[in-house]
Every structure is written in structure tokens, then in C-alpha cells.
Amino acid sequence: MSSRTIVVCGKGGVGKTTISAMLCRRLAAAPSVRTLAVDADHAGGLGLALGLDPDITLRHVREQSLAELESHVASRKADLHQSVEYRLAEALTERDSLAFLALGRSEAQGCFCAVNAVLKRALAHLSSQFDLTLVDAEAGLEQINRDVVGDIDLLLLVSDTSVKSLRVAEAIQKLATRLGRARSCGLLINRVDDDATARAVHQRTSIPLLGWIPQDDEVTRFDAEARPFFEMSDTPATIAVDRALAPFLLGD
């Protein structure tokens, strides 16, 4: 199986991190697929949804590397490169067949460009070591625009039923298409009551529809109680996510 990359994008608040967590739940239980799950949002929502709080994040990798340079511990580029690779391996948290990597919360104000640059290099280094890389991207267009996540096999655009969220999804799709970043794009409509509603929402956009996710009290309860999604049994929402993404997740 060749290495593939799925990037989950969308407007803030549409549920992309919740859907990413449901995907991680499925992938961790798939021993035939070695998965790298990346929380690329500075807020750290995916780690919270999964109950994973790694001691080392990419922010720590960057800070430690800078400290080595300033103290001249790493005197050559080769030394620094080797040190960064070692720290990236330390930053991975394992759960069954899934490895988790977190960007980390920045304690500084302003631009996240420096940490995003570390994320870009980390993905370039690590992705080839896994069958599938799943990236929960930050809301909006920034990480796509700056080529942080590299080449994308599936740009998974999450929207709710609002026109605003559909327009953000379209803007991300257009940018990725113009920049040649995504081989394919697909839409998941979240928090939908029925198939008729999903079809009506999809008529407002030209993004190919992968499926729709129903309102789910169990998902809401897990979010409210901050319970790890790994502990969740099959629910209408998880079944819908599995059905929509199975060809991309398992290579069927």
C-alpha cells in the first residue's frame, strides 16, 4: 500500500476535529493500516478528543533545536538534522496501529509561521513511514496556502448546513486546486437531520459529496464529558463517517 495523505479542513466550529477523532478511532483499530494522525491546530483539539496529551510536541522540538544552535551543541547541519529526527520520533504517541503527533499550543502571541514550518518539515520526514497520514488542519486557508501539509490525496472538507461554512469549504477547495495541492476533494456535511436535508445543502455547492453525518447524542456526550473517542462504541455518526471514508482509509 502506498503512502496517502488525508487533510481535514473547514470553517471553525463545523466539527472537523470531532470527525478527525472518529477517523482516528477507526484507524487505530485497523492493524493493516499504519497511520500517522497529526493535530495541526494550535488549539490542540484533536489531542483532547482522543485523550492524548504528549509530553513532546512540535513546538518543543523547535524550541529544543533552537537552544542547541544557540549553545553550539549542534555545530553542523547534519548534527541538527539528526537531533531533530530523534526528537520527532520521541514526539510520537502510539495507540494500537496509530501514531499521534501534536503541533502544540504556542505560548507566544502573533504569527505561527515558525511552528508551521517545523510541521511542514516533520510531515515531509514522517509521512513516508506510514500507510496513511491524517491531518486535522487549523480552520481556514492558512496551512493550505503556505503548503504546510504538502501533497494531499484527499482534501476532506467539512461543513455544517450553513451557507458560511459551505463558502469557506469552497474557498479552501479553490485555493488547493489552483495551487495543485490536492489530488481530490470531497465534502462531508455534518450535523444533518436526514438525507433530504443533506441533498438540499449539497445543491448549494459543486464540491463532490462524500456523505453526511447525523446529529448524534453520544458524540455530544463524549465531547461534553471530554471522554476519549477511542472508548466510543459504534454510533450513527461513527458509522456514517466509516461508510463515507472507507475507500480512502483502507484502500478499498
Side-chain angles (χ1 to χ4, degrees):
M1 182 184 295
S2 60
S3 179
R4 294 161 290 134
T5 299
I6 297 175
V7 177
V8 186
C9 288
K11 179 180 175 293
V14 297
K16 67 179 185 61
T17 295
T18 297
I19 287 172
S20 295
M22 286 190 274
L23 291 172
C24 287
R25 167 189 171 274
R26 167 69 179 269
L27 289 163
S32 63
V33 181
R34 177 85 169 125
T35 300
L36 172 66
V38 181
D39 187 348
D41 193 330
H42 299 273
L46 183 57
L48 291 173
L50 297 176
L52 299 176
D53 186 19
D55 294 328
I56 301 174
T57 67
L58 287 178
R59 179 176 64 83
H60 294 121
V61 171
R62 177 179 180 271
E63 291 172 353
Q64 291 166 0
S65 299
L66 288 175
E68 281 193 5
L69 282 175
E70 291 173 358
S71 63
H72 304 292
V73 172
S75 58
R76 299 180 299 122
K77 285 186 178 180
D79 296 332
L80 182 62
H81 182 72
Q82 186 176 17
S83 175
V84 169
E85 286 188 358
Y86 175 77
R87 288 203 173 94
L88 285 176
E90 282 192 317
L92 295 177
T93 300
E94 305 281 342
R95 171 77 186 223
D96 299 324
S97 63
L98 181 141
F100 176 73
L101 180 68
L103 188 62
R105 299 182 184 88
S106 176
E107 297 177 359
Q109 294 182 343
C111 181
F112 294 122
C113 299
V115 181
N116 275 334
V118 175
L119 173 60
K120 180 176 180 178
R121 291 194 294 271
L123 287 174
H125 171 67
L126 291 172
S127 291
S128 62
Q129 302 175 27
F130 293 85
D131 301 312
L132 177 66
T133 299
L134 174 68
V135 180
D136 180 26
E138 65 182 13
L141 293 81
E142 182 69 10
Q143 289 180 334
I144 299 296
N145 188 43
R146 292 186 178 274
D147 193 24
V148 172
V149 294
D151 293 332
I152 304 167
D153 293 286
L154 173 64
L155 180 62
L156 178 57
L157 298 161
V158 178
S159 174
D160 56 25
T161 60
S162 70
V163 173
K164 285 184 178 180
S165 64
L166 281 175
R167 296 298 170 260
V168 171
E170 288 174 341
I172 297 171
Q173 180 202 32
K174 289 177 182 176
L175 176 63
T177 301
R178 178 171 62 82
L179 297 175
R181 301 275 158 77
R183 293 184 176 88
S184 64
C185 300
L187 179 69
L188 268 186
I189 306 174
N190 195 25
R191 307 182 189 121
V192 182
D193 295 325
D194 51 51
D195 190 59
T197 302
R199 287 198 303 269
V201 172
H202 186 233
Q203 287 177 353
R204 303 173 190 158
T205 182
S206 61
I207 305 174
L209 181 65
L210 296 178
W212 58 274
I213 314 303
Q215 296 272 7
D216 194 320
D217 291 341
E218 187 73 351
V219 172
T220 302
R221 184 170 71 85
F222 266 68
D223 273 336
E225 297 175 0
R227 290 183 58 186
F229 274 44
F230 291 124
E231 300 176 359
M232 186 181 293
S233 301
D234 287 342
T235 72
T238 64
I239 292 170
V241 169
D242 290 350
R243 184 185 303 119
L245 276 298
F248 296 95
L249 299 180
L250 306 180
D252 297 340

